[in-house]
Amino acid sequence: MRRGLLLLLMWGGAGAEDALERVPLANAAYKYRISRNYPLPDGITAVEKPPSRKAKLEKAEYFFFDVDGNGRFNDLGVDGWARNKMSILMPLEETTVFGASEFTWTVEADGSAISFRRAPLPLNEGQRQVLIQFNQWRLMNGLPAVTIDQQLSDACNKHCEYMEQNGELTHEEEAGKPGYTQEGAEAGKRACLGEEGPVESVHLFYATFYHRLPLILPSTKAIGVGSSAKYAAVDGLTRRDRRAWTYPVIVPGPNTFFHPTHFAHEKPNPLPEGAPPAGFPITLTFDKGKITAARVELRLKDAKGALLPVYLSSPEVPANEKRPDNRMSICAIPRAPLAPMTTHWVKATYQLDGQAREHVWKFNTGRQGPASVLRYLPR
């Protein structure tokens, strides 16, 4: 699956099509188990086995689903699409982002054809690489892709230059210090900050608890990306809309692959002081409600596998007393790094506004990482 997603995101690196290219769609059943995270409008329900159509776009197979079974394949926000072997259905929208390009596409109502056009985004190489990685994590977990906002990126660059000139990693800027700007100061308050370069910093943010959350907001439409010689800043909070979504957002998503094995330590640190290297965090993030009685059970392979102890943080018992709402999340951090290339089974139970809820799913790890975490571990 990882190779497929990488190909998906790398598509569209150079050149552009001025006119819509029309490709026929054929009847085809989707052979893989697939779920859906986005909600349907009131009064619309999904059929158990939605009809699907297949097309080969730039040598890759894409499937388009008539989710509500009404005979139309082009209902925006209702019908969905997936690249071959993806495990989570994406909502059909007028545009999406693949690689360094924005795609506009239209599916014929009867599912007979799709027309699309690609427009390269005006990105520098660093922005291009960050966008590819950022969207890879989002698509893997069933979240819509985002684009780059150059105004936000300019502000992030200014904050990185401030940190560079003052030699400190900080969210705050002090007026009168070298490199201070109002735009940079605002960006510093909103951005996730790193010292490993923009791309590796995104890997690290994903492998944390608090810094992961701005990467996985369903409402994010665009991000700002900035860097300097030593520092990186990624703003995923500013450009958001009120996109409807089915909560909680679960990471790692059900039936997804190639997640990191290690927790990347962060400040504030959700782990106890002096804790040994830990595993990739499991998060369930909500938009509203009172969350109580949270429990997370993590096992190897399936429900009968070896139990893996976790540190548990929730709004009822947060790991950091300065964040009593726990960022509206349940977070389970394995007490030891996860085994690479291995299936893991999770059962999360809790009460939301007094109503009992349960989620049971599996995910797979990839190779050991992130790389910059392994670099600093004792050998």
Side-chain angles (χ1 to χ4, degrees):
M1 176 178 172
R2 183 189 184 204
R3 182 175 180 270
L5 275 174
L6 285 173
L7 288 174
L8 163 70
L9 293 163
M10 291 293 287
W11 177 29
E17 301 293 341
D18 294 328
L20 291 175
E21 179 180 347
R22 190 174 188 274
V23 179
L25 289 167
N27 291 330
Y30 198 66
K31 299 179 181 179
Y32 304 93
R33 182 170 53 182
I34 195 165
S35 59
R36 173 177 51 84
N37 289 345
Y38 64 92
L40 300 181
D42 291 342
I44 296 178
T45 58
V47 296
E48 184 176 351
K49 294 183 179 181
S52 58
R53 301 286 188 269
K54 178 177 71 173
K56 184 166 286 188
L57 307 179
E58 306 241 347
K59 299 182 179 181
E61 286 188 342
Y62 288 79
F63 288 76
F64 298 86
F65 296 81
D66 175 14
V67 170
D68 58 347
N70 68 352
R72 297 194 302 270
F73 288 78
N74 64 347
D75 294 325
L76 300 180
V78 175
D79 294 329
W81 64 271
R83 192 182 188 278
N84 194 27
K85 298 184 180 181
M86 283 178 62
S87 62
I88 303 179
L89 197 66
M90 304 301 301
L92 185 65
E93 299 178 310
E94 292 178 340
T95 62
T96 191
V97 174
F98 299 152
S101 297
E102 181 179 74
F103 278 71
T104 301
W105 56 8
T106 302
V107 179
E108 297 291 335
D110 61 0
S112 61
I114 180 172
S115 301
F116 69 93
R117 178 175 57 235
R118 172 167 54 87
L121 295 169
L123 308 176
N124 60 40
E125 181 60 21
Q127 291 175 334
R128 188 187 74 85
Q129 292 182 21
V130 169
L131 188 64
I132 289 171
Q133 184 59 68
F134 197 98
N135 280 335
Q136 179 179 332
W137 294 135
R138 287 182 66 88
L139 287 172
M140 180 181 290
N141 291 288
L143 296 163
V146 303
T147 188
I148 293 280
D149 184 303
Q150 292 297 348
Q151 186 173 355
L152 294 183
S153 296
D154 290 343
C156 287
N157 277 323
K158 290 178 180 178
H159 185 65
C160 288
E161 285 301 323
Y162 173 89
M163 294 189 291
E164 195 76 36
Q165 292 186 44
N166 292 280
E168 61 175 335
L169 185 72
T170 176
H171 287 283
E172 304 296 329
E173 289 195 18
E174 185 177 335
K177 279 193 171 184
Y180 172 85
T181 64
Q182 183 176 352
E183 298 86 353
E186 290 299 319
K189 295 175 183 178
R190 298 187 299 264
C192 292
L193 308 177
E195 296 181 274
E196 295 287 341
V199 177
E200 185 61 24
S201 291
V202 170
H203 282 287
L204 293 174
F205 299 153
Y206 184 59
T208 64
F209 170 28
Y210 303 122
H211 289 77
R212 168 190 295 175
L213 302 183
L215 275 68
I216 62 170
L217 293 170
S219 56
T220 299
K221 300 289 288 186
I223 60 174
V225 178
S227 63
S228 62
K230 184 176 180 181
Y231 300 104
V234 179
D235 178 3
L237 293 177
T238 302
R239 279 281 310 277
R240 294 183 286 171
D241 62 14
R242 297 183 61 83
R243 184 197 301 273
W245 207 254
T246 301
Y247 288 87
V249 175
I250 296 176
V251 177
N255 306 316
T256 54
F257 296 80
F258 292 100
H259 297 281
T261 57
H262 285 61
F263 172 74
H265 287 272
E266 60 183 332
K267 293 182 179 180
N269 186 3
L271 299 181
E273 186 70 26
F280 183 71
I282 298 163
T283 53
L284 296 87
T285 301
F286 302 78
D287 63 334
K288 59 184 178 181
K290 183 178 181 181
I291 305 156
T292 57
R295 299 288 184 273
V296 175
E297 183 180 344
L298 175 64
R299 294 182 179 271
L300 283 176
K301 297 186 179 180
D302 55 34
K304 297 181 180 180
L307 183 66
L308 304 179
V310 300
Y311 300 104
L312 185 64
S313 180
S314 71
E316 191 174 33
V317 187
N320 183 351
E321 61 183 14
K322 294 182 180 180
R323 300 186 186 278
D325 69 346
N326 211 50
R327 296 289 181 90
M328 291 299 293
S329 297
I330 297 169
C331 177
I333 302 177
R335 294 189 177 225
L338 298 179
M341 310 299 289
T342 300
T343 299
H344 294 77
W345 178 91
V346 187
K347 180 180 179 181
T349 59
Y350 57 92
Q351 290 192 359
L352 181 62
D353 293 330
Q355 299 295 314
R357 301 287 180 88
E358 178 181 284
H359 303 277
V360 179
W361 77 99
K362 293 181 180 181
F363 69 91
N364 279 28
T365 50
R367 300 185 185 279
Q368 286 189 329
S372 54
V373 173
L374 303 179
R375 189 182 312 143
Y376 295 108
L377 294 179
R379 298 183 181 275

